[in-house]
Amino acid sequence: MKKTVIAAGLATALAGTAGAEEVTLRGVTAFAGGTTFSRPFEAFVERVNETGEGVVQIEYVGGPEAVPTFELGNAVSTGIVDIANNTTAFYTNLLPIGDALHLATNTIQDQRENGCFELIDRLHQEQMNVKYLARTGDHIQFHLYLTQPIEEPNLEGLTIRTTPVYRAFFEDMGATLVRTAPGEVYTALERGAIDGYGWPVQGVMDLGWDEQTEYRVDPGFYQVDVNFLVNLDTWNGLSDEAKQVLEDAATWTEAKNAENIEINAEEAAKQAEAGIEVITFEGETGAQYLADAQAAGWAAIEEIDADLAAELKACLVE
Ligand code: 173
């Protein structure tokens, strides 16, 4: 970390001072820089650096090479990092109930309207000392990808790469699971250590995984959540003006989530061009597959905290 960057403590000291100096926040992403799930954050950083001149700036430090994927939650929680681009599945150690976020069937705009955003923000603040600033990934579903075909939703005898997103569902289908960061998937496939993996419809191509992937299973399930988290001490130390810059840029970012609908179709077409075949569970089987995904996901959340699960389900599933 560069010494010239103003640390969280100094940001706190400056808050409220008339004509406060520009504050610089250190930003890190959990995904490889320049790839699908880092791009909205990178655009957000650019936006803040344009609109926040003289008030707040973000120094984009980098991705997993700067802070390992599963360490980023801790780093933003303790203030080593001021702002992180991270998915709940990578910080379940700090916020286990966060796994509910990808079970949402509505959008972040809906969640801001129906009070879910405040609940999710409060949980992030109380349990991991971060301000929940924005959600990207709406409209993007997750899929099962395989190196060999399956005839029915049964993964017995297969070793599948997972994160907490897919764990309960894939386990119910009988898979042997291996949890890895995205950075380890290519090598695991190349070595034949895994027979498949869970991943959204977007991003397979820019990670080069199409070279090692034969099949995508449809339909997709759940909904991606990639969130911008600000260390709470850093956040509380910012001027109202700086907070406004960040919140305006968050709203701008969230409005772009709608573009995902078109990008999903483009990505699916690119996968087909690259030779990835689609196995589709149709009719009853497809409907049951989706119902099983939802049931497995919510059962895992209910095990963590049944009351909170009910509260979250009421505002995430509409
Ligand atoms: O598969 C994953 O690594 C994962 O959980 C995830 C979550 C959000 C976006 C992309 C991947």
Side-chain angles (χ1 to χ4, degrees):
M1 304 283 165
K2 283 191 197 158
K3 285 206 186 102
T4 50
V5 173
I6 299 169
L10 188 47
T12 310
L14 290 171
T17 319
E21 270 178 53
E22 182 181 274
V23 173
T24 301
L25 309 178
R26 288 155 302 184
V28 175
T29 171
F31 298 91
T35 64
T36 301
F37 296 104
S38 290
R39 283 200 285 268
F41 182 65
E42 289 161 355
F44 167 86
V45 168
E46 252 185 61
R47 176 91 178 171
V48 168
N49 290 346
E50 275 167 28
T51 59
E53 246 179 87
V55 181
V56 60
Q57 297 285 285
I58 298 174
E59 186 203 1
Y60 183 45
V61 178
E65 75 290 347
V67 181
T69 302
F70 297 130
E71 293 297 322
L72 185 56
N74 282 324
V76 69
S77 177
T78 56
I80 292 170
V81 163
D82 294 308
I83 181 162
N85 177 59
N86 206 352
T87 181
T88 46
F90 298 164
Y91 56 86
T92 44
N93 57 322
L94 297 168
L95 185 65
I97 203 89
D99 243 351
L101 265 62
H102 53 256
L103 304 178
T105 58
N106 58 8
T107 65
I108 184 64
Q109 285 81 13
D110 297 328
Q111 292 158 30
R112 284 185 184 275
E113 229 175 88
N114 73 10
C116 217
F117 177 85
E118 278 78 25
L119 172 60
I120 295 164
D121 184 22
R122 180 164 60 75
L123 293 169
H124 277 82
Q125 295 202 21
E126 287 175 1
Q127 294 190 28
M128 68 181 287
N129 195 46
V130 296
K131 161 78 187 159
Y132 180 69
L133 186 67
R135 172 172 176 153
T136 71
D138 281 353
H139 310 291
I140 307 175
Q141 294 192 304
F142 295 92
H143 291 260
L144 168 64
Y145 294 87
L146 295 166
T147 59
Q148 51 186 280
I150 53 170
E151 306 271 310
E152 50 178 6
N154 183 337
L155 300 177
E156 275 166 43
L158 298 181
T159 301
I160 306 291
R161 174 269 175 184
T162 192
T163 67
V165 170
Y166 330 90
R167 191 190 50 78
F169 182 35
F170 290 177
E171 203 168 73
D172 281 359
M173 286 192 281
T176 299
L177 299 176
V178 190
R179 177 189 183 233
T180 81
E184 290 159 46
V185 174
Y186 188 94
T187 311
L189 286 165
E190 199 176 29
R191 292 197 184 134
I194 54 173
D195 304 304
Y197 57 89
W199 191 259
V201 67
Q202 292 186 29
V204 168
M205 302 301 300
D206 66 12
L207 293 160
W209 297 353
D210 54 298
E211 290 167 19
Q212 305 289 338
T213 306
E214 301 297 328
Y215 303 95
R216 185 185 75 241
V217 176
D218 280 10
F221 52 89
Y222 304 156
Q223 182 169 239
V224 167
D225 68 285
V226 178
N227 310 302
F228 301 170
L229 310 178
V230 185
N231 172 270
L232 193 56
D233 303 306
T234 301
W235 177 258
N236 288 337
L238 293 173
S239 65
D240 288 347
E241 201 186 350
K243 284 180 183 163
Q244 197 60 52
V245 168
L246 295 173
E247 283 183 324
D248 287 349
T251 306
W252 175 84
T253 298
E254 288 175 348
K256 289 161 87 73
N257 287 347
E259 294 170 13
N260 282 325
I261 296 164
E262 210 177 307
I263 301 172
N264 291 341
E266 287 164 10
E267 286 273 320
K270 280 189 214 155
Q271 288 182 14
E273 258 171 59
I276 297 179
E277 284 180 48
V278 180
I279 297 168
T280 306
F281 295 135
E282 318 229 23
E284 266 298 292
T285 312
Q288 193 59 51
Y289 181 75
L290 291 181
D292 288 350
Q294 281 293 319
W298 281 111
I301 301 302
E302 280 153 16
E303 253 176 57
I304 298 165
D305 185 330
D307 292 341
L308 206 44
E311 213 179 326
L312 283 163
K313 196 172 185 177
C315 62
L316 290 173
V317 179
E318 290 188 327

